[in-house]
Amino acid sequence: MLGRTLAIIIFTGLLIQSAAATTETGLQIKDLWELESVADVQVSPDGSKIVFTRKGSDKLRDVRTSALWLMGSDGSKKHFLLEGSSAIWSPDGQRIAFVAPGPADRPQIFTKWMDNHGSISQISQLDNPPKDIKWSPDGQWIAFRALVPSTKSWPIDLPSPPDGATWTGSPRIIDKLHYRQDRRGYNQSGFDHLFVIPADGGTARQITSGSWHVGARYNGLDNGTGLTWTPDGKQILFAGLADDDADLIFGESYIYSAKVDSGKITRITREKGFWFLPRVSPNGQRLAYSGIDFEHANKSYKSRELWLSSIDGSDRQLASGDLDGDISSLLWANDSQGTYFTVAKRGYMQAYFGSLSGSVRQITQGKHLVSLHSLDKKGNLFGAGRTSDRPSDVIRLSSKMNRNMTFLTDLNADILQSRKLGALEEIEFVSKDGTDVHGWVVQPPSFDASQKYPLILVIHGGPHSMYDGAFNEFYQILSSNGYMVLYTNPRGSSGYGTAFGNAVANAFPGQKDFEDLMAGVDATLARGGVDNRRLFVTGCSGGGALTAWTVAHTDRFAAAASLCPVTNWLSLAGTMDIVGWGMRRFRPYFWENPEPWLAHSPIMHVAKIKTPTLIMTGSLDLRTPPGQSEQLYSALKILGIPTRLLLFNNEWHSISTVPSNAARTPLYILDWFRQWDPTLANNTIR
């Protein structure tokens, strides 16, 4: 849910047509298992071919799937290659390395020759999954990181069980602050470390060691390593915190180099801060990386900046200029004279180029979101792009100055060409205190300006995340069932600068974000076409918290659905997986002053709730554990407020990792809203 590293939960569930639907051509529930997306778009060294990961769903097994596809760099000759993910080309372009299940379904590293024979070899025999695989510049080695288990024991003088007895096993021994993670469960004891393995197969050799992780961990969660080789193949650079007390240190990460032959570790970044995503220039002279200095690392929000330095960390300079937006998708230009990167701004993602001299130039324009994955020798950029009517597809940005964007795939055309999507319109409005706020309204596909429609306000989590103007299945299905959908980026959201994102520090949920949300509802009502008796509100994670906060501070909504919410900051602090983040939500610590912790806990305002409120959460949720939902549910039951609690089986935070659960989520939401719709005659509780 929460924290800078967490991405916003965007629902992927779809709804069947109902009696209340206004069209038969909108997105359908059956489309859920057909919609696809792309990832890891990698162009071959000669620029002739692209390998990418194609993601979808398996309706029989009820799981997400990934497969590698190959095509020409002009989008021609698309074809399935094999099952797997994370493919990367060897420097000579003759092979790809990728990750796929091996024996006993344990992920392993494989290579495939890309000639006519196409032989495949499993080159690793690992007990734990490999991550961040990277070819060495000479193509002889593949670097990766993997967990190095550690065995903990606590000897006690327990009598031996009698013959034939079956005793319960020893308890799990926990001595770290962060010992579990949502979507993974309880962490296996050990630390992620750096390895290399011969590209032709053999024994993996461990490069780093110690009681610390290779990989930046802002709040206990893995922010990635950014593994990158120096051009001479002698060193590997990575992000992390090589400190035995790293688990207790919040807001610090540095760039290190490891000598491949000796394993000697050297810290590259000199300034204290949270630094990650290292990239070595092709000529080996410069280092690019992203992050924030320590002054801001312990604040609620600060947009990530782009920095350049010499390869040894000296001569540091800010490379992102006065851009006040999170930097991602970092790639060096072929001539080492600058970097390409993306910046999230106002609900969209644009590509930029930053030169060594410090000048910054935006190279894409338009209402889209782009991510950059690779570039060819001519300077063409490849990655993934999304628009309001198009889910994720492979894109190419030309090498020309204007950087025209071309879509090379259209994975969902077979579905969307027969669906009438609801029109998406941007909306800008002013909050109660004069703050400018931005969002979007989705209309029903058969919108008639002479009619009035029910409105659903959808609130994002984080709070430091960003709703965007791209295609979204959840909104389209709500709209196809006859609803207007409003979603906005209230204060606290990323993509609008540091001050805007940091406006809810020590005050989430609270007055500012609530007023922004209500101003959005008022602005939408003023546009016309909305029945003000039929207002509904929902959100997940931080959006679930704001949903509960909203109905405790207004009775204008006919019904609410609070999903995977935070309801009690005190009880959440030590029970969520990102404990370091949870313990720092308000200052000072709650044992020093519990007042702000209580004041911004929705559970403390529950007596003011009069709105029928559905509560939904995953039974395995470790981010906002089920107890958060159970506290709100119990209080509402005691108060006599109509409520239901749904605990989703086999589901983590967001209630959308399992395809069938992703479909159930909006189905229950819509059915709950219909039961409390004041204009429907059959709105009794079922």
Side-chain angles (χ1 to χ4, degrees):
M1 136 180 183
L2 306 161
R4 296 175 39 80
T5 62
L6 304 179
I8 172 61
I9 301 303
I10 298 180
F11 298 110
T12 56
L14 310 175
L15 293 172
I16 57 173
Q17 294 299 310
S18 70
T22 61
T23 177
E24 296 180 355
T25 58
L27 218 53
Q28 310 284 305
I29 185 66
K30 62 184 179 182
D31 299 333
L32 171 60
W33 285 269
E34 307 301 329
L35 289 171
E36 298 178 282
S37 63
V38 302
D40 303 323
V41 180
Q42 299 295 321
V43 64
S44 60
D46 66 2
S48 65
K49 295 181 288 293
I50 295 172
V51 63
F52 64 96
T53 301
R54 188 166 178 167
K55 295 186 174 183
S57 301
D58 186 322
K59 200 168 187 177
L60 290 178
R61 295 185 295 148
D62 203 16
V63 296
R64 307 294 184 188
T65 61
S66 65
L68 296 177
W69 279 61
L70 186 70
M71 66 180 178
S73 59
D74 59 356
S76 63
K77 300 180 180 179
K78 302 177 183 67
H79 62 275
F80 169 80
L81 193 62
L82 44 79
E83 299 293 339
S85 63
S86 306
I88 52 173
W89 293 91
S90 61
D92 61 9
Q94 295 186 30
R95 286 180 287 177
I96 60 169
F98 61 96
V99 177
D105 284 334
R106 287 197 304 237
Q108 302 293 339
I109 302 173
F110 292 78
T111 61
K112 174 179 172 60
W113 289 91
M114 301 302 285
D115 54 19
N116 291 332
H117 299 290
S119 60
I120 301 174
S121 300
Q122 178 183 329
I123 68 168
S124 71
Q125 299 286 343
L126 304 172
D127 294 328
N128 293 291
K131 294 172 281 190
D132 303 333
I133 61 174
K134 293 290 185 297
W135 287 91
S136 64
D138 61 6
Q140 299 300 306
W141 300 88
I142 295 175
F144 65 95
R145 63 168 168 146
L147 181 74
V148 177
S150 62
T151 303
K152 300 184 187 307
S153 63
W154 188 336
I156 57 174
D157 190 16
L158 182 71
S160 299
D163 292 342
T166 302
W167 285 11
T168 298
S170 300
R172 182 186 303 270
I173 300 172
I174 296 170
D175 59 4
K176 294 294 182 183
L177 183 65
H178 299 99
Y179 55 90
R180 53 190 171 177
Q181 185 171 335
D182 194 66
R183 303 195 184 196
R184 295 185 185 180
Y186 283 83
N187 297 338
Q188 182 179 349
S189 295
F191 299 91
D192 278 0
H193 279 293
L194 178 63
F195 293 79
V196 293
I197 190 170
D200 293 330
T203 302
R205 177 165 61 91
Q206 186 174 338
I207 302 297
T208 63
S209 61
S211 299
W212 53 275
H213 288 285
V214 168
R217 295 182 175 240
Y218 187 84
N219 49 21
L221 298 181
D222 186 0
N223 279 239
T225 61
L227 288 187
T228 180
W229 292 76
T230 54
D232 61 10
K234 294 181 178 180
Q235 300 179 68
I236 299 173
L237 274 65
F238 62 90
L241 182 57
D243 190 306
D244 286 347
D245 293 327
D247 183 54
L248 297 174
I249 299 174
F250 186 81
E252 287 188 57
S253 175
Y254 302 96
I255 310 301
Y256 298 88
S257 71
K259 289 193 175 295
V260 177
D261 57 356
S262 66
K264 180 182 178 181
I265 304 297
T266 301
R267 179 172 145 183
I268 300 297
T269 46
R270 305 176 182 185
E271 294 76 15
K272 191 174 183 180
F274 189 83
W275 311 115
F276 64 110
L277 198 63
R279 294 288 185 267
V280 177
S281 62
N283 64 13
Q285 297 178 9
R286 303 289 287 174
L287 172 67
Y289 57 94
S290 181
I292 53 179
D293 59 47
F294 189 73
E295 176 187 357
H296 297 100
N298 280 274
K299 291 185 176 180
S300 184
Y301 175 75
K302 170 68 174 74
S303 59
R304 299 187 298 268
E305 299 168 322
L306 174 62
W307 291 85
L308 299 178
S309 74
S310 297
I311 193 65
D312 64 357
S314 63
D315 189 28
R316 187 178 82 133
Q317 66 183 86
L318 180 65
S320 51
D322 58 0
L323 290 175
D324 193 1
D326 288 331
I327 304 296
S328 57
S329 298
L330 181 57
L331 298 171
W332 274 98
N334 292 320
D335 61 4
S336 299
Q337 294 305 299
T339 57
Y340 299 103
F341 54 91
T342 58
V343 180
K345 293 188 76 67
R346 293 185 60 80
Y348 300 99
M349 188 83 73
Q350 304 291 352
Y352 287 77
F353 176 78
S355 70
L356 294 185
S357 65
S359 64
V360 176
R361 175 170 56 89
Q362 185 172 335
I363 61 176
T364 61
Q365 303 282 345
K367 305 292 187 181
H368 54 233
L369 287 90
V370 301
S371 59
L372 307 178
H373 301 167
S374 59
L375 76 164
D376 64 17
K377 291 181 179 179
K378 295 181 179 179
N380 294 304
L381 294 158
F382 297 84
R386 295 186 291 137
T387 65
S388 62
D389 58 359
R390 189 171 195 150
S392 175
D393 270 308
V394 177
I395 60 168
R396 180 184 68 234
L397 297 177
S398 71
S399 59
K400 298 178 181 179
M401 182 67 70
N402 59 7
R403 294 283 170 177
N404 292 326
M405 185 170 72
T406 302
F407 282 95
L408 300 181
T409 62
D410 197 356
L411 300 185
N412 299 288
D414 54 339
I415 303 168
L416 298 184
Q417 66 186 1
S418 62
R419 300 288 183 255
K420 183 179 180 181
L421 299 181
L424 178 67
E425 296 184 5
E426 291 192 44
I427 180 172
E428 297 183 357
F429 51 94
V430 178
S431 190
K432 184 177 180 179
D433 65 356
T435 300
D436 292 327
V437 189
H438 176 228
W440 296 262
V441 175
V442 184
Q443 297 175 345
S446 56
F447 178 76
D448 180 347
S450 67
Q451 302 296 315
K452 289 188 177 294
Y453 298 88
L455 174 72
I456 299 176
L457 169 65
V458 185
I459 309 173
H460 74 60
H464 307 310
S465 56
M466 182 185 78
Y467 271 162
D468 58 58
F471 174 87
N472 184 282
E473 305 97 315
F474 181 63
Y475 308 150
Q476 287 296 333
I477 294 303
L478 295 183
S479 71
S480 74
N481 278 264
Y483 289 83
M484 298 270 278
V485 181
L486 168 66
Y487 63 101
T488 69
N489 285 321
R491 272 173 286 185
S493 303
S494 55
Y496 298 82
T498 297
F500 191 90
N502 211 41
V504 298
N506 263 17
F508 173 81
Q511 180 179 357
K512 293 179 180 179
D513 37 19
F514 171 71
E515 289 180 352
D516 292 355
L517 293 168
M518 295 306 100
V521 173
D522 292 336
T524 306
L525 289 171
R527 288 160 55 96
V530 176
D531 185 342
N532 63 8
R533 301 168 300 164
R534 306 172 71 192
L535 304 180
F536 305 92
V537 59
T538 187
C540 181
S541 195
L546 263 171
T547 296
W549 183 271
T550 294
V551 294
H553 289 79
T554 181
D555 59 0
R556 68 189 304 182
F557 294 95
S562 178
L563 282 59
C564 39
V566 175
T567 63
N568 186 334
W569 288 110
L570 281 173
S571 61
L572 180 73
T575 58
M576 67 188 317
D577 59 343
I578 48 176
V579 179
W581 186 89
M583 287 288 187
R584 292 171 172 83
R585 279 313 77 216
F586 301 94
R587 307 298 172 85
Y589 290 114
F590 61 77
W591 53 83
E592 297 174 7
N593 179 17
E595 290 186 8
W597 297 75
L598 294 172
H600 293 280
S601 292
I603 196 69
M604 299 304 294
H605 303 267
V606 69
K608 296 180 286 186
I609 296 178
K610 307 301 179 186
T611 305
T613 302
L614 174 66
I615 306 165
M616 303 161 62
T617 193
S619 61
L620 303 177
D621 193 338
L622 294 177
R623 187 65 40 81
T624 56
Q628 293 292 306
S629 294
E630 292 164 351
Q631 290 178 60
L632 179 60
Y633 169 74
S634 298
L636 290 176
K637 289 296 285 186
I638 289 174
L639 290 167
I641 304 302
T643 185
R644 289 281 179 86
L645 173 63
L646 301 182
L647 293 172
F648 280 63
N649 293 315
N650 195 32
E651 194 58 79
W652 304 92
H653 192 62
S654 84
I655 331 178
S656 61
T657 57
V658 176
S660 63
N661 283 337
R664 289 184 180 98
T665 296
L667 288 170
Y668 283 119
I669 291 172
L670 243 324
D671 196 56
W672 180 258
F673 289 170
R674 291 186 186 114
Q675 291 179 39
W676 297 100
D677 189 321
T679 67
L680 298 181
N682 58 341
N683 59 347
T684 57
I685 287 266
R686 289 192 292 276

